[in-house]
Amino acid sequence: MSDRSLRGMRLGAQSMETEQGVEPAPRQDVEYVCEDGEKITVTFAADAEIPPTWTAPSGKVGVLAEGDKPEEEPEKPARTHWDMLLERRSMEELEDILQDRLKILRERRGEKV
């Protein structure tokens, strides 16, 4: 008998609340333009801080249609292993280590030092 009382109702599948009296938060549509002319429209909250660039789903980067182009930040050169080594050791230390390792290698090979 208890299973008949819920017949025809999908529990959890549908909300019993209505949208009557519900007001969405204020929004604004912002338009970005890519280099090739593709336009991207993004919806933000009315009080949100608008980013100067936006990446489209296609992977292209668009800039604000109504604004100045953002200043490009100078790219930092990639740090190599050598750069990081030089941060930890001086050239004199590296020379000493090299000579020590060469000495050990030559002794293993049976060469005279």
Side-chain angles (χ1 to χ4, degrees):
M1 184 73 158
S2 63
D3 62 319
R4 289 185 182 193
S5 63
L6 297 176
R7 181 175 283 177
M9 181 63 188
R10 292 176 270 164
L11 290 177
Q14 292 178 324
S15 173
M16 300 301 286
E17 295 182 17
T18 64
E19 293 185 17
Q20 186 177 13
V22 176
E23 293 182 29
R27 302 175 189 188
Q28 61 179 330
D29 288 333
V30 178
E31 190 171 85
Y32 293 90
V33 181
C34 298
E35 288 182 6
D36 63 352
E38 179 183 349
K39 293 184 179 181
I40 309 162
T41 303
V42 184
T43 304
F44 290 100
D47 58 347
E49 186 177 326
I50 308 301
T53 61
W54 191 264
T55 304
S58 61
K60 301 173 190 169
V61 177
V63 294
L64 280 171
E66 299 175 6
D68 299 330
K69 290 187 177 182
E71 295 178 15
E72 293 184 16
E73 297 177 10
E75 291 186 27
K76 289 175 39 178
R79 285 178 47 196
T80 63
H81 293 289
W82 181 249
D83 295 331
M84 290 184 263
L85 181 64
L86 289 177
E87 289 175 6
R88 296 189 310 266
R89 307 239 189 221
S90 67
M91 287 301 289
E92 293 80 24
E93 285 178 297
L94 291 173
E95 272 299 322
D96 292 341
I97 293 170
L98 175 63
Q99 294 307 320
D100 290 342
R101 299 308 298 173
L102 286 174
K103 180 180 175 185
I104 293 169
L105 180 64
R106 289 180 180 134
E107 286 173 358
R108 272 195 216 156
R109 291 183 177 174
E111 297 176 14
K112 292 186 178 181
V113 179

